[in-house]
Amino acid sequence: MSDPDPHLLIVDDDERIRDLLARFLKRQGFLVSTARDAAHARRLLAGLEFDLIVLDVMMPGEDGITLTERLRGEIRTPILLLTARGETEDRIRGFEAGADDYLIKPFEPRELSLRINAILRRVPDMPAARNLPKVLHLGAVRYDIDRGELWSGDTPVRLTATEVQLMRIFSAHPGEPLSRQQLVEELGRGASGDQPGAQERAVDVQITRLRRKIEADPKQPRYLQTIRGAGYMLAPD
């Protein structure tokens, strides 16, 4: 039996754009549902499961970035943001909220389709974590893989949206070095338009911040190691 077609949710307050995207993506072989705002999207998400959400940033009321951040506390469905804004700061806000990719209007529908397929190709790699322990122990800290939560004893350790994504990526590949470029691609930053060197330096900054929450001595990391010439590796107990 063949796999079902991916089901997309398009959230945009502009009816014309919703209809155009829905028609195009249906021709590309996707199942498509649409929502006119954040509240409408929440009602659909309460009753249906989607493979990916295409979400407009500039909506009245609850905007796309705010909705992304709130959804990340509830679901892990990939999110691709659409916006007319092109400033680097706005892209960073989107990624920090938990978006998987970012596409600036105006865009070619074919590019949207390619971005969607690129994200969906990454998603099947995640279930491999089911064969791993449910909890990774990192000294005094433990990471609950299913919940995506970091704990120090009985105290939850707050993670930013980007740190949540990094822990998801590393926990799927414990003991395996991941290059900075791999991390850039997994985080969805490769489509941001920044120069590759800047993207990789941004990953270095995020790793430094994450180490402060994991390591007893972040300057001498034991669990989130730097592997010379290879990248970074999570090495649980």
Side-chain angles (χ1 to χ4, degrees):
M1 182 181 296
S2 61
D3 293 334
D5 295 331
H7 192 180
L8 311 180
L9 174 60
I10 299 173
V11 188
D12 197 306
D13 63 303
D14 188 318
E15 182 178 3
R16 183 183 64 85
I17 292 177
R18 284 200 312 271
D19 291 346
L20 284 172
L21 292 181
R23 288 200 299 270
F24 173 78
L25 292 170
K26 286 176 182 177
R27 291 198 299 269
Q28 301 302 306
F30 297 105
L31 299 175
V32 180
S33 297
T34 63
R36 61 184 172 273
D37 55 25
H40 189 191
R42 289 181 185 281
R43 290 195 294 273
L44 292 176
L45 288 164
L48 296 170
E49 290 189 5
F50 295 92
D51 296 287
L52 186 141
I53 301 170
V54 178
L55 177 58
D56 184 41
V57 169
M58 298 298 291
M59 295 189 297
E62 186 177 11
D63 65 34
I65 291 178
T66 302
L67 178 59
T68 296
E69 191 168 23
R70 291 172 179 170
L71 288 178
R72 274 294 164 259
E74 305 165 7
I75 60 175
R76 297 190 179 186
T77 306
I79 297 174
L80 189 156
L81 292 177
L82 302 178
T83 182
R85 293 180 175 179
E87 293 84 356
T88 299
E89 182 60 32
D90 293 315
R91 295 199 299 270
I92 291 173
R93 284 185 60 223
F95 287 126
E96 287 181 340
D100 295 84
D101 203 350
Y102 205 103
L103 190 56
I104 298 170
K105 299 177 181 179
F107 56 84
E108 290 292 332
R110 179 61 178 161
E111 181 179 3
L112 174 62
S113 177
L114 291 171
R115 297 284 187 95
I116 289 170
N117 282 314
I119 294 172
L120 293 177
R121 281 197 299 270
R122 297 199 293 264
V123 172
D125 293 333
M126 294 297 106
R130 294 173 185 168
N131 297 323
L132 301 171
K134 297 296 184 182
V135 176
L136 298 180
H137 294 277
L138 310 164
V141 174
R142 70 183 186 278
Y143 177 67
D144 187 315
I145 294 175
D146 288 340
R147 294 179 177 272
E149 296 174 346
L150 193 67
W151 293 79
S152 178
D154 295 327
T155 304
V157 178
R158 184 182 179 279
L159 297 174
T160 66
T162 300
E163 290 166 350
V164 168
Q165 289 181 282
L166 281 172
M167 286 303 301
R168 171 181 58 82
I169 295 164
F170 281 121
S171 65
H173 306 277
E176 177 183 338
L178 300 176
S179 70
R180 290 190 297 174
Q181 184 56 39
Q182 282 179 278
L183 294 173
V184 166
E185 292 172 358
E186 290 282 358
L187 288 169
R189 293 182 183 275
S192 70
D194 295 332
Q195 293 300 314
Q199 297 165 11
E200 294 183 4
R201 286 192 295 275
V203 167
D204 293 339
V205 171
Q206 294 295 336
I207 293 292
T208 298
R209 292 174 177 170
L210 185 55
R211 279 173 171 163
R212 294 172 187 161
K213 300 180 180 182
I214 293 176
E215 304 286 352
D217 181 0
K219 294 182 179 179
Q220 298 290 329
R222 156 67 180 84
Y223 298 102
L224 188 46
Q225 301 176 6
T226 299
I227 307 300
R228 187 179 298 276
Y232 297 105
M233 181 179 74
L234 188 69
D237 291 327

